[in-house]
Amino acid sequence: MAGARRLLKLSGWLPMKRGRLREPTLAFETWGQQNRDRDNAVLIFTGLSPSAHVASSPEDPSTGWWEDMVGPDKPIDTNRYFVICVNSLGSCFGSTGPASIDPDTGKPYRLTFPVLCVEDIARAGAEVVRSLGIETLYATVGASMGGMTALAFCTMFPNISRGLVAISSAARSTPFAIAMRSLQREMIRKDPHWCEGNYPPGEGPITGMRLARKLGMITYRSAPEWERRFGRERATDEAPNGPFRIDFEVEAYLEAHANKFVGAFDANCYLYLSRAMDLFDIADHGGSIAAGLDPVQLDRALVIGVNTDFLFPLKQQIELADGLKHVVPEVDFRALDSIQGHDSFLVDMDRFRPAVASFF
Amino acid sequence: MAGARRLLKLSGWLPMKRGRLREPTLAFETWGQQNRDRDNAVLIFTGLSPSAHVASSPEDPSTGWWEDMVGPDKPIDTNRYFVICVNSLGSCFGSTGPASIDPDTGKPYRLTFPVLCVEDIARAGAEVVRSLGIETLYATVGASMGGMTALAFCTMFPNISRGLVAISSAARSTPFAIAMRSLQREMIRKDPHWCEGNYPPGEGPITGMRLARKLGMITYRSAPEWERRFGRERATDEAPNGPFRIDFEVEAYLEAHANKFVGAFDANCYLYLSRAMDLFDIADHGGSIAAGLDPVQLDRALVIGVNTDFLFPLKQQIELADGLKHVVPEVDFRALDSIQGHDSFLVDMDRFRPAVASFF
């Protein structure tokens, strides 16, 4: 276990949108200190694949997945804020998920894990906040699936957070995004090594996960970025790939990303988290996006989108910001001109740092 | 053999860009009659997957793949024009391809088929034209890969065609399109039933082909179309799909398209044709797009693109039209506001019929 990771084991059952979970564990990390008024806490929800390790700390000096954004004198300044990041329920970095042992059977849940919804991840986050004795959050922050989760959190627990920062997120998934993720899941499920989810721990559908990661990467970046970055450059390192070898640099790039990902993420967890995004629709909480957002009681919200993001397109950020404007006194919407598509919040820090800092 | 299909068996070797082929057969169909001046022939190249059956005829009354565009009193009017459509070299609908028997071995070529390039498909088309005694074409027409082929044809055989109609095509593939197609090919190759290309004829990587077709369909349509058409509609017919069932209508739509495609196309042929598109770059014929287009000797060209096409984006149509303007006296460029993305030329006939008719 990494030195900074803390585990909260809940007693009894955690209710889920479509089931319940007995005594789940939630992994999280914290940075900074709570102030005397206990009103400086910032809760961060993650995208599909990261752990709770959003930034380095003395306890775990390894680079976090948003190292440039969170830390002393960073936009989310851990000298001023008490930052909490939760590993999503259903993930595989300490929080209970399909790869965890079911206490009732002594065996991994695998596909007996209840259908996971974004709302369940939000509820798990609320349990972590409660366990820390926090009644008020300065802000809830999330990008991508984390933005969906932050939005669900502010809808389901409207009295906790005073602010919301939703980045490259959405009030619900589009059919295009559903198609892209559904196909990723199918690639994993159709790998014979998936074994209907019953692969041995640590093994599993490596080929399916590699293919899924490649399609994921295609949806996370943008055509203009690749045009600028790769053009029609030929691959220099030809993988021993049979007669259909890697011809172009863009193929080698995807290959490298697939190699990095495999082994780092449990396939069943990926399936559950991916589907949770498809199922998310804030309109489920009231019949329309506006009605779904109605319970929200925020002072301020910041919505950030990127013009080259085609997975969570700018249109969805505008839709979300417009919806929030009906219920939130102060809504700031920013469309950033980043070239890296959906992943820009992880890469184009020169644009994202000031945008996020403006809120804090 | 379908009643309308004609076969041309070449004698000797057909030179290819990266190899050569002994005595290949080329399948084609024709509609209408050559006029006395022998200047009314129109040559149509196809996209990746269609056969030469572009339209119905007395000999083969089945609906063609561009039935609304080609026929008596249609935009490409077979009362006026002698229309020829060629099944691409490398395909599996009568023309020689990886699934055909290698006369030297008596066994299917499979992966011993030479690397296929768009230029080879164009050269095969020129052989068909020559065999019909045609020295001048009124126009060469193609959409998608067919547009690339038509462009290659007009570059390689500059004295034959007087007109060019290039639809949703490109002077070269972008890294984004390469990534999408490369991943489709990898899905097929990673299917254990591919057997390094040595699957029994008529069998093969069905799962890989299904996945590839789904990703293909995602790239052929558009996010706005699916938003309008499916939204978040739930699937009514749940496929017996295990715990990760089909939840949304968009997933059922992709499933139906995959079902239709499988069995209809040979996997190795798909791999070869798909890669041919990646490899195509008109700049290979001179060092830049402009230099590559320099040999072209057309009187007129029509370039059509669609604003929702993200596989062959409008930007590439503009690039192609601009390139042609340097060498072609009359270039008409049309950006159509169709919602069906790359496939619009097959679907949005209300917009495409008049656009194509304007040329003829």
Side-chain angles (χ1 to χ4, degrees):
Chain A
M1 194 191 304
R5 193 166 77 183
R6 297 166 62 177
L7 298 176
L8 167 67
K9 192 176 163 70
L10 299 181
S11 57
W13 294 91
L14 179 73
M16 294 171 71
K17 201 176 174 193
R18 299 193 185 184
R20 60 180 193 164
L21 209 50
R22 198 177 127 194
E23 296 171 5
T25 297
L26 303 170
F28 63 99
E29 291 188 33
T30 68
W31 297 257
Q33 302 294 329
Q34 287 191 68
N35 62 7
R36 218 167 29 188
D37 295 340
R38 301 179 84 78
D39 63 0
N40 71 329
V42 173
L43 174 64
I44 299 178
F45 287 110
T46 81
L48 190 155
S49 57
S51 72
H53 191 58
V54 71
S56 61
S57 61
E59 296 79 25
D60 181 356
S62 65
T63 304
W65 58 264
W66 223 10
E67 187 77 22
D68 280 352
M69 193 62 82
V70 178
D73 304 318
K74 304 277 174 69
I76 304 179
D77 186 349
T78 52
N79 290 330
R80 295 171 56 207
Y81 298 105
F82 176 63
V83 176
I84 311 153
C85 183
V86 184
N87 180 230
S88 300
L89 186 74
S91 178
C92 49
F93 300 117
S95 290
T96 296
S100 306
I101 300 296
D102 177 353
D104 284 341
T105 65
K107 289 188 277 188
Y109 283 104
R110 299 195 174 101
L111 303 195
T112 69
F113 198 82
V115 170
L116 182 74
C117 294
V118 166
E119 287 86 345
D120 306 322
I121 304 170
R123 185 177 297 279
E127 292 290 344
V128 170
V129 170
R130 188 178 307 157
S131 77
L132 294 168
I134 295 167
E135 293 182 357
T136 304
L137 291 166
Y138 182 79
T140 305
V141 179
S144 190
M145 187 186 80
M148 290 175 158
T149 314
L151 189 64
F153 180 90
C154 294
T155 309
M156 297 163 68
F157 309 101
N159 298 311
I160 298 180
S161 192
R162 288 163 49 207
L164 167 68
V165 179
I167 299 170
S168 300
S169 168
R172 59 178 164 209
S173 290
T174 62
F176 179 82
I178 290 171
M180 284 291 197
R181 282 192 293 263
S182 172
L183 187 53
Q184 289 170 52
R185 296 194 297 274
E186 191 172 352
M187 292 172 191
I188 294 167
R189 292 190 293 106
K190 291 288 166 65
D191 183 331
H193 293 285
W194 184 56
C195 306
E196 299 297 315
N198 295 312
Y199 51 87
E203 299 183 28
I206 290 174
T207 299
M209 287 289 278
R210 289 175 52 87
L211 293 171
R213 181 58 171 177
K214 287 189 178 185
L215 183 53
M217 284 307 298
I218 291 175
T219 65
Y220 298 156
R221 312 299 286 224
S222 85
E225 180 198 3
W226 288 355
E227 187 66 47
R228 185 183 297 179
R229 188 164 166 182
F230 303 118
R232 293 184 53 82
E233 202 177 322
R234 299 299 169 125
T236 43
D237 258 11
E238 278 171 19
N241 206 7
F244 280 84
R245 58 172 201 227
I246 287 178
D247 286 303
F248 293 95
E249 199 54 37
V250 66
E251 296 175 283
Y253 164 86
L254 291 176
E255 186 75 8
H257 272 282
N259 290 340
K260 266 197 292 186
F261 190 64
V262 161
F265 210 89
D266 176 74
N268 287 336
C269 293
Y270 191 90
L271 294 176
Y272 271 83
L273 288 161
S274 165
R275 182 178 55 185
M277 273 192 273
D278 289 4
L279 296 174
F280 182 64
D281 187 350
I282 202 76
D284 289 349
H285 300 254
S288 67
I289 290 182
L293 291 173
D294 195 54
V296 161
Q297 292 181 32
L298 296 158
D299 297 336
R300 292 192 301 137
L302 169 62
V303 176
I304 307 178
V306 168
N307 60 346
T308 55
D309 186 347
F310 69 108
L311 192 62
F312 290 78
L314 209 50
K315 204 181 134 199
Q316 291 201 290
Q317 318 309 320
I318 295 168
E319 180 180 62
L320 176 54
D322 287 348
L324 287 169
K325 278 173 189 164
H326 293 290
V327 283
V328 182
E330 203 183 321
V331 178
D332 186 12
F333 166 66
R334 300 194 175 211
L336 300 187
D337 186 30
S338 300
I339 201 172
Q340 292 97 343
H342 184 62
D343 260 0
S344 295
F345 68 93
L346 294 171
V347 190
D348 188 6
M349 301 316 291
D350 288 346
R351 282 194 177 79
F352 266 89
R353 263 190 308 254
V356 171
S358 73
F359 184 91
F360 290 94
Chain B
M1 196 190 304
R5 194 166 76 184
R6 298 166 62 177
L7 297 177
L8 167 67
K9 193 175 163 71
L10 299 182
S11 58
W13 294 92
L14 178 73
M16 295 172 70
K17 201 175 174 193
R18 299 195 186 183
R20 59 180 194 163
L21 208 51
R22 196 177 129 196
E23 296 171 5
T25 297
L26 303 170
F28 64 99
E29 293 188 33
T30 67
W31 297 256
Q33 303 293 330
Q34 286 191 68
N35 62 8
R36 217 167 31 192
D37 295 340
R38 300 179 86 78
D39 64 359
N40 71 330
V42 174
L43 175 63
I44 299 177
F45 287 110
T46 81
L48 190 154
S49 57
S51 72
H53 192 56
V54 71
S56 60
S57 62
E59 296 79 26
D60 180 356
S62 65
T63 305
W65 59 263
W66 222 11
E67 186 76 24
D68 281 352
M69 193 63 83
V70 178
D73 303 319
K74 304 277 173 69
I76 303 178
D77 186 350
T78 52
N79 290 331
R80 294 173 56 209
Y81 298 104
F82 176 62
V83 177
I84 311 152
C85 184
V86 184
N87 179 229
S88 300
L89 186 74
S91 179
C92 49
F93 299 118
S95 290
T96 296
S100 307
I101 300 297
D102 178 353
D104 285 341
T105 66
K107 288 187 277 187
Y109 284 103
R110 299 197 175 101
L111 303 196
T112 67
F113 200 81
V115 170
L116 182 73
C117 294
V118 166
E119 287 85 346
D120 305 322
I121 305 170
R123 184 177 298 278
E127 292 290 343
V128 170
V129 170
R130 188 179 308 158
S131 77
L132 293 167
I134 295 167
E135 292 183 358
T136 303
L137 291 166
Y138 182 80
T140 305
V141 180
S144 190
M145 188 186 81
M148 290 174 158
T149 314
L151 189 65
F153 181 90
C154 294
T155 308
M156 297 163 68
F157 309 101
N159 298 312
I160 299 180
S161 193
R162 289 164 46 209
L164 166 69
V165 179
I167 299 169
S168 300
S169 171
R172 60 177 163 209
S173 290
T174 62
F176 179 82
I178 290 171
M180 284 291 197
R181 282 192 292 264
S182 171
L183 187 53
Q184 289 170 51
R185 295 194 297 275
E186 191 173 352
M187 291 173 191
I188 294 167
R189 292 190 293 106
K190 291 288 167 66
D191 183 331
H193 293 283
W194 184 55
C195 305
E196 299 296 314
N198 295 312
Y199 51 86
E203 298 183 29
I206 290 175
T207 299
M209 287 290 278
R210 289 175 52 86
L211 293 170
R213 181 58 171 178
K214 287 189 178 187
L215 183 53
M217 284 306 299
I218 291 175
T219 64
Y220 297 157
R221 312 301 287 222
S222 84
E225 181 199 2
W226 288 356
E227 187 66 45
R228 185 184 296 179
R229 187 164 166 183
F230 303 118
R232 293 184 53 80
E233 203 178 322
R234 300 300 169 123
T236 43
D237 258 11
E238 278 170 19
N241 207 8
F244 280 85
R245 58 175 200 226
I246 286 178
D247 286 302
F248 293 95
E249 198 55 36
V250 67
E251 296 175 284
Y253 164 87
L254 291 176
E255 186 76 8
H257 272 283
N259 290 340
K260 266 197 292 187
F261 190 64
V262 161
F265 210 88
D266 176 73
N268 287 336
C269 292
Y270 190 90
L271 295 175
Y272 271 83
L273 288 162
S274 165
R275 182 178 55 186
M277 274 193 272
D278 289 4
L279 295 175
F280 182 63
D281 187 350
I282 202 74
D284 288 351
H285 301 252
S288 67
I289 290 181
L293 291 174
D294 195 53
V296 162
Q297 292 180 35
L298 295 159
D299 298 335
R300 292 192 301 138
L302 168 63
V303 176
I304 307 178
V306 167
N307 60 346
T308 56
D309 186 347
F310 68 109
L311 192 63
F312 290 79
L314 209 51
K315 204 182 135 198
Q316 291 200 290
Q317 318 310 320
I318 296 168
E319 179 180 65
L320 176 54
D322 286 349
L324 287 170
K325 278 173 189 166
H326 293 290
V327 282
V328 182
E330 202 184 320
V331 178
D332 186 12
F333 166 66
R334 301 196 174 208
L336 299 187
D337 187 28
S338 300
I339 201 172
Q340 291 97 341
H342 184 62
D343 260 0
S344 295
F345 69 92
L346 295 171
V347 191
D348 187 6
M349 301 316 291
D350 288 347
R351 282 195 177 78
F352 267 89
R353 263 189 308 253
V356 171
S358 73
F359 184 91
F360 289 94

